């Protein structure tokens, strides 16, 4: 029997996750867990590169776990854990810092973007973010990392660091590959279709949060930007607003883009936007109910995290021990 490949992914437990996160990451995870040995982390160490309210961070950590479970991620099939519960992440990050160059970090798009947005707090964690991400990935001898196109740089720098280490000390890390999700990989803002839908968007009306109730979802879609002309067809260049809505409708109904276009042939933008909103709300409501049920059972959630941390630590510590031996750290 062929050995299954290892997949790693993580999301920060901050702000409100959006349907972009659901489509681009979590929904794919529920399918990927059947084909790969998956490690899914709640990346709270990454989260503190921006100031957090401690009580909120603790709460959103549990909320995110409950959301993963509510969306169908199975703790029996994959390893779900909190990043800070596995100290090897921080330990490997320190080692990898010595194989990473300042110029590489300064060129990272995310560092430039976050520095611009948080000019009052340009800390070393912001710059070092990609090295911690490399440690996250390399600790588990990861084969594939599911990413959107905007995360490609992080996988590339992880590959560069791993190859650099392997060239100096002999093969130690697997060289990870990016796994690009095809359908719905990029969901754009409803009010500005030229921008990706972001949980940190300045105007929340362009963003559908996973916690939005049905009335809010419908209201936001009714306000969504469309394009000149009345035809509902997929053309990202000429009709970015309509194309974004067709993508969302396609993913939430399971229909192809062509089938979605056929559904709205001869119909107006008003009917179209309402139908997209209802399709999204119909999928979000049961997830929200299940998340609330799980959050009421804190002992169960903590049991999942405890088991996940133990399983993640076994794999991570094997890699870390190998690294420490290669670089000459004296181990007891």
């Amino acid at each position: 029997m062929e050995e299954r490949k290892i997949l790693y992914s993580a999301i920060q437990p901050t702000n409100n996750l959006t349907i972009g996160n659901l489509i681009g990451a979590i929904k794919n995870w529920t399918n990927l867990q059947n084909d790969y040995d998956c490690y899914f982390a709640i990346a709270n160490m990454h989260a503190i590169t921006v100031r957090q309210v401690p009580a909120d961070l603790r709460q959103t950590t549990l909320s995110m776990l409950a959301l993963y479970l509510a969306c169908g991620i199975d703790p029996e099939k994959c390893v779900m854990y909190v990043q800070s519960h596995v100290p090897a992440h921080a330990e490997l990050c320190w080692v990898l810092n010595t194989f990473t160059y300042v110029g590489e970090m300064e060129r990272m798009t995310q560092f430039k973007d976050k520095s611009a947005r948080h000019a009052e707090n340009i800390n070393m964690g912001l710059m070092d973010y990609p090295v911690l991400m490399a440690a996250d990935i390399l600790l588990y001898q990861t084969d594939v990392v599911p990413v959107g196109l905007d995360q490609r740089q992080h996988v590339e720098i992880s590959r560069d660091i791993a190859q650099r280490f392997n060239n100096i000390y002999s093969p130690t890390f697997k060289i990870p590959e990016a796994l690009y999700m095809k359908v719905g990989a990029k969901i754009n803002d409803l009010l500005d279709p030229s921008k990706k839908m972001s949980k940190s968007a300045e105007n929340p009306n362009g963003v559908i949060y996973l916690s939005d109730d049905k009335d809010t979802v419908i209201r936001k879609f009714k306000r969504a930007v469309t394009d000149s002309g009345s035809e509902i067809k997929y053309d990202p260049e000429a009709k970015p607003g309509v194309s974004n809505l067709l993508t969302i409708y396609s993913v939430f109904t399971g229909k192809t883009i062509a089938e979605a276009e056929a559904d709205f042939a001869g119909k107006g933008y008003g009917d179209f936007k309402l139908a997209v909103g209802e399709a999204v709300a119909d999928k979000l409501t049961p997830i929200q109910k299940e998340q609330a049920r799980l959050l009421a059972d804190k002992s169960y959630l903590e049991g999942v995290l405890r088991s996940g941390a133990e399983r993640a630590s076994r794999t991570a510590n094997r890699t870390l021990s190998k690294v420490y031996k290669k670089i000459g750290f004296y181990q007891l």
Side-chain angles (χ1 to χ4, degrees):
M1 186 175 163
E2 190 179 349
E3 192 174 338
R4 297 213 309 180
K5 289 187 174 182
I6 294 169
L7 178 147
Y8 180 88
S9 195
I11 298 182
Q12 291 186 40
T14 53
N15 298 326
N16 240 329
L17 293 188
T18 74
I19 58 167
N21 299 119
L22 179 66
I23 293 167
I26 302 171
K27 189 172 183 290
N28 289 315
W29 291 1
T30 60
N31 298 322
L32 295 168
Q33 68 182 345
N34 298 314
D35 301 319
Y36 295 89
D37 286 339
C38 296
Y39 291 83
F40 296 135
I42 298 172
N44 60 341
M45 292 167 68
H46 285 290
I48 62 169
T49 57
V50 176
R51 293 284 172 261
Q52 303 293 333
V53 177
D56 290 350
L57 182 58
R58 282 188 286 271
Q59 179 56 40
T60 53
T61 298
L62 275 186
S63 291
M64 179 163 284
L65 174 64
L67 178 67
Y68 285 177
L69 296 167
C71 289
I73 297 173
D74 186 347
E76 298 299 317
K77 290 182 178 178
C78 52
V79 179
M80 303 167 68
Y81 70 101
V82 174
Q83 189 183 24
S84 66
H85 292 171
V86 182
H89 284 262
E91 295 179 68
L92 182 59
C93 179
W94 178 251
V95 174
L96 297 184
N97 275 324
T98 66
F99 295 86
T100 309
Y101 304 122
V102 173
E104 290 175 311
M105 296 298 94
E106 288 175 334
R107 288 193 294 273
M108 297 298 287
T109 304
Q110 192 173 49
F111 173 66
K112 290 189 272 194
D113 290 348
K114 284 202 169 186
S115 296
R117 287 209 310 271
H118 303 281
E120 77 293 345
N121 182 27
I122 304 175
N123 59 71
M124 284 308 299
L126 275 180
M127 179 176 274
D128 209 34
Y129 192 105
V131 186
L132 178 56
M133 190 176 283
D136 298 340
I137 294 166
L138 300 178
L139 268 176
Y140 299 98
Q141 301 297 340
T142 300
D143 293 290
V144 294
V145 184
V147 291
L149 293 176
D150 59 326
Q151 289 286 323
R152 181 169 50 195
Q153 257 194 324
H154 287 126
V155 179
E156 288 173 354
I157 196 70
S158 299
R159 289 170 55 84
D160 290 345
I161 294 169
Q163 286 167 333
R164 200 170 290 156
F165 189 98
N166 288 353
N167 288 341
I168 296 171
Y169 291 108
S170 76
T172 307
F173 298 116
K174 270 188 190 171
I175 308 301
E177 300 280 348
L179 180 65
Y180 297 110
M181 300 290 109
K182 289 186 175 65
V183 178
K186 191 177 182 188
I187 299 300
N188 292 331
D189 192 285
L190 299 183
L191 299 180
D192 184 356
S194 68
K195 291 180 181 174
K196 178 183 166 186
M197 187 178 287
S198 169
K199 56 186 181 177
S200 56
E202 289 179 16
N203 188 342
N205 289 314
V207 180
I208 303 296
Y209 297 106
L210 299 188
S211 58
D212 283 345
D213 61 29
K214 183 166 187 172
D215 288 345
T216 303
V217 171
I218 300 294
R219 175 176 54 78
K220 288 181 177 180
F221 273 105
K222 281 182 176 177
R223 294 179 178 176
V225 168
T226 44
D227 311 287
S228 59
S230 59
E231 194 179 2
I232 297 170
K233 67 173 185 175
Y234 188 78
D235 184 344
E237 292 298 317
K239 299 176 84 72
V242 167
S243 299
N244 186 40
L245 294 177
L246 279 169
T247 298
I248 294 169
Y249 181 81
S250 165
V251 174
F252 277 88
T253 59
K255 297 184 178 184
T256 65
I257 293 290
E259 288 169 339
E261 287 176 328
D263 281 354
F264 300 107
K267 293 188 178 176
Y269 284 159
D271 290 341
F272 172 46
K273 292 194 282 189
L274 179 61
V276 180
E278 287 179 340
V280 172
D282 288 347
K283 284 287 192 294
L284 293 187
T285 300
I287 291 172
Q288 291 163 353
K289 286 180 179 175
E290 178 63 4
Q291 183 187 25
R293 186 191 72 78
L294 288 163
L295 280 170
D297 191 351
K298 189 176 176 183
S299 62
Y300 170 71
L301 294 177
E302 289 189 344
V304 171
L305 291 181
R306 196 168 284 111
S307 170
E310 289 169 0
R311 291 161 69 194
S313 292
R314 278 198 294 273
T315 304
N317 289 337
R318 275 199 302 272
T319 298
L320 188 66
S321 179
K322 194 186 297 184
V323 168
Y324 278 2
K325 184 177 181 183
K326 294 273 180 88
I327 63 175
F329 280 5
Y330 190 92
Q331 298 179 82
L332 298 173

